[in-house]
Amino acid sequence: MKKAVGTRRQDSLTRDRIIDAAIRILDSDGETGLTFQALAKTLATGAGAIYWHVENKNDLLTAACDAVVARTLDAAEGGAMPGATIRALAVGLFDAMDEHPWIGSALARAGGKMPILRILERLGQQVRALGVPQDAEWTTVSAILSYILGVGGQNAANAQFAGQHGLDRSKFLEEVADEWSRLDPDEFPFARSIALYLPQHDDRADFVAGIDLILRGIGMPS
């Protein structure tokens, strides 16, 4: 009887279950908290059983990132026009990185692996649907992808840093704004001029404005 129960438990341990558990750990404890010991405890199994489904922590992190990315991209699909779809994909990924801050660094290390390839393909299809000339497709997709990963990843990194160091965003930005307002007006005229804007600015709204700017640059309405 005990053997049968053990067999059922072993059979129920799937790669998808492991990935879902890893996402929960990453969301609550970050990358440093994702260990095979913690994962085994969460899944009530042995670490050896987990290794049947994932090679190592990097493999697991990439798989967890890809799972969130895949869900995000699918949720952003709505049969809209290409420009609106690109906008929805970009905002969806920004929100995903904001909700799961570890995704930013995971994507930065993913290289040509599936999470990046998945995003690249989805954006590429929409850029092609916009009628962008073939010789400009890669440059266009690369610019959009770099913007999403760069701004979204930095926003997530800032949130992680603030959380780890107990920083209050509003207070921190007020301090930065105060420093900028006292800069040399001849050397830093622009920085001084936007100092008052810093404490009130909305990172998500700024991101969306940037995507709309890129779409207008392509020559299509957002």
Side-chain angles (χ1 to χ4, degrees), residues 18-43:
I18 294 171
I19 290 171
D20 286 341
I23 291 172
R24 292 195 298 272
I25 293 173
L26 286 163
D27 285 346
S28 61
D29 303 321
E31 285 189 39
T32 57
L34 180 61
T35 64
F36 276 71
Q37 182 179 4
L39 195 58
K41 182 177 180 180
T42 299
L43 293 167

Side-chain angles (χ1 to χ4, degrees), residues 179-195:
E179 291 180 8
W180 286 17
S181 67
R182 290 184 277 106
L183 291 170
D184 186 313
D186 295 324
E187 188 175 1
F188 299 99
F190 176 75
R192 279 175 56 96
S193 71
I194 63 170

Side-chain angles (χ1 to χ4, degrees), residues 83-175:
T85 299
I86 290 173
R87 189 179 195 269
L89 291 171
V91 174
L93 289 168
F94 179 90
D95 289 342
M97 284 185 272
D98 189 54
E99 182 180 355
H100 312 277
W102 52 272
I103 290 181
S105 59
L107 284 171
R109 297 195 302 268
K113 295 180 181 179
M114 185 50 71
I116 293 295
L117 181 59
R118 197 183 297 278
I119 299 170
L120 186 73
E121 178 64 30
R122 201 66 63 92
L123 290 174
Q125 291 179 16
Q126 299 305 316
V127 165
R128 181 164 290 175
L130 282 174
V132 172
Q134 187 173 5
D135 61 357
E137 286 181 346
W138 168 250
T139 302
T140 304
V141 173
S142 180
I144 298 172
L145 180 61
S146 296
Y147 177 78
I148 294 172
L149 298 183
V151 178
Q154 186 60 57
N155 179 72
N158 290 343
Q160 277 190 311
F161 181 84
Q164 291 168 356
H165 294 81
L167 298 177
D168 177 84
R169 180 181 182 277
S170 298
K171 184 177 180 181
F172 174 74
L173 290 176
E174 287 174 359
E175 291 174 353

Side-chain angles (χ1 to χ4, degrees), residues 194-213:
I194 63 170
L196 293 178
Y197 164 76
L198 283 180
Q200 292 81 31
H201 88 279
D202 183 292
D203 294 317
R204 189 177 189 272
D206 289 348
F207 176 83
V208 173
I211 281 293
D212 290 343
L213 185 64

